[in-house]
Amino acid sequence: MEDNFKPMNVSVEQSKLLGNALRIKIISVLQDEARTAKQVADLLGHSPGSVHYHIQKLKDGNLIELVEIKLVSGIQEKYYKARSKWFNSVGGMDPALNMDYENAFSSMVHLRLFLKEEQRDELMADFRALLEKWVGRTTADLTEDTEEYAVGIKLASIKKESSQ
């Protein structure tokens, strides 16, 4: 498994940075290839200034990293890459997913399953693939009729940890 695919534990502050659809899209296009803010802006159809602002926030939050600086015609081109594509929130989550958050639309699905460890891992891989598919499908579609949604999937063992 590549390092980029290992979930990265993030703090509450980092989790807040990830609570923005544009920042998730930026991380998405920086997963497999290092790019400049201008290249990211062109891919996402956003202004370079807006994308540069969000890239700085993600870099300051240690969610992306500066991997290369090239001097082209006397101008520095800074190339950034995502540190991970999956994030485990430690101590906080997107506030829009809280039960008491006022939403115009909200839908929740929950159930309990009996799973072997391999099945649990396969289920999480399926969830990740589904979310990746939708991030990819929505990255380029930024028309005025789109609305931002928060999506969270938590798989929790019911077995209590023994306190020894």
Side-chain angles (χ1 to χ4, degrees):
M1 182 185 280
E2 292 181 33
D3 284 347
N4 197 30
F5 292 86
K6 291 181 183 173
M8 176 180 159
N9 290 335
V10 294
S11 67
V12 173
E13 293 79 20
Q14 289 172 313
S15 184
K16 288 178 185 175
L17 289 172
L18 294 169
N20 176 289
L22 178 55
R23 290 182 186 154
I24 295 300
K25 290 176 183 184
I26 290 169
I27 288 171
S28 175
V29 298
L30 294 176
Q31 289 173 13
D32 299 319
E33 183 179 337
R35 301 176 195 268
T36 66
K38 172 79 169 89
Q39 290 170 334
V40 172
D42 290 346
L43 283 170
L44 298 179
H46 278 267
S47 72
S50 173
V51 168
H52 182 264
Y53 169 81
H54 289 288
I55 281 179
Q56 281 307 121
K57 290 287 190 184
L58 291 168
K59 182 183 170 292
D60 291 346
N62 204 25
L63 296 168
I64 65 172
E65 58 189 338
L66 178 62
V67 294
E68 185 177 6
I69 299 176
K70 291 182 184 177
L71 196 59
V72 178
S73 302
I75 298 171
Q76 280 190 350
E77 289 185 347
K78 296 180 179 180
Y79 288 79
Y80 300 91
K81 191 144 175 27
R83 294 195 57 229
S84 184
K85 68 190 302 184
W86 294 108
F87 303 94
N88 291 326
S89 182
V90 178
M93 65 177 182
D94 188 323
L97 296 174
N98 288 335
M99 296 298 285
D100 60 350
Y101 188 83
E102 294 288 329
N103 296 2
F105 172 86
S106 180
S107 178
M108 181 185 293
V109 177
H110 51 90
L111 56 95
R112 291 192 179 196
L113 300 170
F114 290 94
L115 303 170
K116 295 178 181 177
E117 186 176 345
E118 306 83 45
Q119 292 172 315
R120 178 202 64 202
D121 294 345
E122 181 181 353
L123 179 61
M124 287 307 296
D126 287 350
F127 282 142
R128 288 184 177 120
L130 178 65
L131 293 173
E132 282 183 35
K133 170 186 153 187
W134 279 95
V135 167
R137 283 182 65 181
T138 62
T139 295
D141 185 17
L142 297 172
T143 58
E144 286 188 24
D145 63 339
T146 59
E147 186 175 335
E148 185 173 351
Y149 290 85
V151 177
I153 296 171
K154 179 178 182 178
L155 183 62
S157 171
I158 302 303
K159 184 174 101 178
K160 305 270 190 216
E161 289 189 36
S162 61
S163 54
Q164 295 180 355

